[in-house]
PDB file of all heavy atoms in Angstrom:
ATOM      1  N   GLY B 165      12.684  20.720 -25.944  1.00 93.00           N
ATOM      2  CA  GLY B 165      11.596  19.784 -26.206  1.00 93.00           C
ATOM      3  C   GLY B 165      10.642  20.327 -27.257  1.00 93.00           C
ATOM      4  O   GLY B 165      10.229  19.616 -28.172  1.00 93.00           O
ATOM      5  N   ARG B 166      10.329  21.616 -27.125  1.00 94.00           N
ATOM      6  CA  ARG B 166       9.408  22.228 -28.084  1.00 94.00           C
ATOM      7  C   ARG B 166      10.053  22.314 -29.469  1.00 94.00           C
ATOM      8  O   ARG B 166       9.425  22.018 -30.475  1.00 94.00           O
ATOM      9  CB  ARG B 166       9.026  23.619 -27.580  1.00 94.00           C
ATOM     10  CG  ARG B 166       8.311  24.469 -28.588  1.00 94.00           C
ATOM     11  CD  ARG B 166       6.948  24.886 -28.088  1.00 94.00           C
ATOM     12  NE  ARG B 166       6.441  26.027 -28.844  1.00 94.00           N
ATOM     13  CZ  ARG B 166       5.258  26.038 -29.431  1.00 94.00           C
ATOM     14  NH1 ARG B 166       4.470  24.987 -29.355  1.00 94.00           N
ATOM     15  NH2 ARG B 166       4.863  27.109 -30.087  1.00 94.00           N
ATOM     16  N   ALA B 167      11.336  22.697 -29.500  1.00 96.00           N
ATOM     17  CA  ALA B 167      12.014  22.894 -30.793  1.00 96.00           C
ATOM     18  C   ALA B 167      12.136  21.572 -31.549  1.00 96.00           C
ATOM     19  O   ALA B 167      11.807  21.490 -32.739  1.00 96.00           O
ATOM     20  CB  ALA B 167      13.386  23.517 -30.566  1.00 96.00           C
ATOM     21  N   VAL B 168      12.592  20.554 -30.861  1.00 95.00           N
ATOM     22  CA  VAL B 168      12.903  19.314 -31.562  1.00 95.00           C
ATOM     23  C   VAL B 168      11.625  18.631 -32.067  1.00 95.00           C
ATOM     24  O   VAL B 168      11.652  17.867 -33.025  1.00 95.00           O
ATOM     25  CB  VAL B 168      13.748  18.374 -30.658  1.00 95.00           C
ATOM     26  CG1 VAL B 168      12.868  17.648 -29.654  1.00 95.00           C
ATOM     27  CG2 VAL B 168      14.559  17.406 -31.498  1.00 95.00           C
ATOM     28  N   ALA B 169      10.495  18.950 -31.434  1.00 94.00           N
ATOM     29  CA  ALA B 169       9.256  18.263 -31.803  1.00 94.00           C
ATOM     30  C   ALA B 169       8.412  19.032 -32.816  1.00 94.00           C
ATOM     31  O   ALA B 169       7.438  18.502 -33.322  1.00 94.00           O
ATOM     32  CB  ALA B 169       8.426  17.994 -30.548  1.00 94.00           C
ATOM     33  N   GLU B 170       8.774  20.299 -33.086  1.00 95.00           N
ATOM     34  CA  GLU B 170       7.896  21.069 -33.979  1.00 95.00           C
ATOM     35  C   GLU B 170       8.221  20.762 -35.444  1.00 95.00           C
ATOM     36  O   GLU B 170       9.344  20.425 -35.794  1.00 95.00           O
ATOM     37  CB  GLU B 170       8.026  22.575 -33.688  1.00 95.00           C
ATOM     38  CG  GLU B 170       9.342  23.197 -34.122  1.00 95.00           C
ATOM     39  CD  GLU B 170       9.333  23.640 -35.562  1.00 95.00           C
ATOM     40  OE1 GLU B 170       8.233  23.841 -36.100  1.00 95.00           O
ATOM     41  OE2 GLU B 170      10.428  23.767 -36.152  1.00 95.00           O
ATOM     42  N   VAL B 171       7.206  20.921 -36.289  1.00 95.00           N
ATOM     43  CA  VAL B 171       7.420  20.615 -37.695  1.00 95.00           C
ATOM     44  C   VAL B 171       7.117  21.829 -38.572  1.00 95.00           C
ATOM     45  O   VAL B 171       7.770  22.070 -39.584  1.00 95.00           O
ATOM     46  CB  VAL B 171       6.581  19.384 -38.126  1.00 95.00           C
ATOM     47  CG1 VAL B 171       5.120  19.597 -37.809  1.00 95.00           C
ATOM     48  CG2 VAL B 171       6.752  19.105 -39.596  1.00 95.00           C
ATOM     49  N   GLY B 172       6.165  22.651 -38.132  1.00 95.00           N
ATOM     50  CA  GLY B 172       5.679  23.734 -38.972  1.00 95.00           C
ATOM     51  C   GLY B 172       6.745  24.728 -39.404  1.00 95.00           C
ATOM     52  O   GLY B 172       6.835  25.091 -40.582  1.00 95.00           O
ATOM     53  N   ALA B 173       7.570  25.164 -38.464  1.00 96.00           N
ATOM     54  CA  ALA B 173       8.538  26.208 -38.787  1.00 96.00           C
ATOM     55  C   ALA B 173       9.651  25.684 -39.677  1.00 96.00           C
ATOM     56  O   ALA B 173      10.011  26.298 -40.685  1.00 96.00           O
ATOM     57  CB  ALA B 173       9.121  26.797 -37.494  1.00 96.00           C
ATOM     58  N   VAL B 174      10.204  24.514 -39.324  1.00 96.00           N
ATOM     59  CA  VAL B 174      11.343  24.020 -40.105  1.00 96.00           C
ATOM     60  C   VAL B 174      10.947  23.603 -41.514  1.00 96.00           C
ATOM     61  O   VAL B 174      11.747  23.714 -42.435  1.00 96.00           O
ATOM     62  CB  VAL B 174      12.062  22.834 -39.424  1.00 96.00           C
ATOM     63  CG1 VAL B 174      13.047  23.338 -38.394  1.00 96.00           C
ATOM     64  CG2 VAL B 174      11.095  21.849 -38.847  1.00 96.00           C
TER      65      VAL B 174
END
Side-chain angles (χ1 to χ4, degrees):
Chain B
R166 168 121 162 127
V168 79
E170 71 86 21
V171 55
V174 277

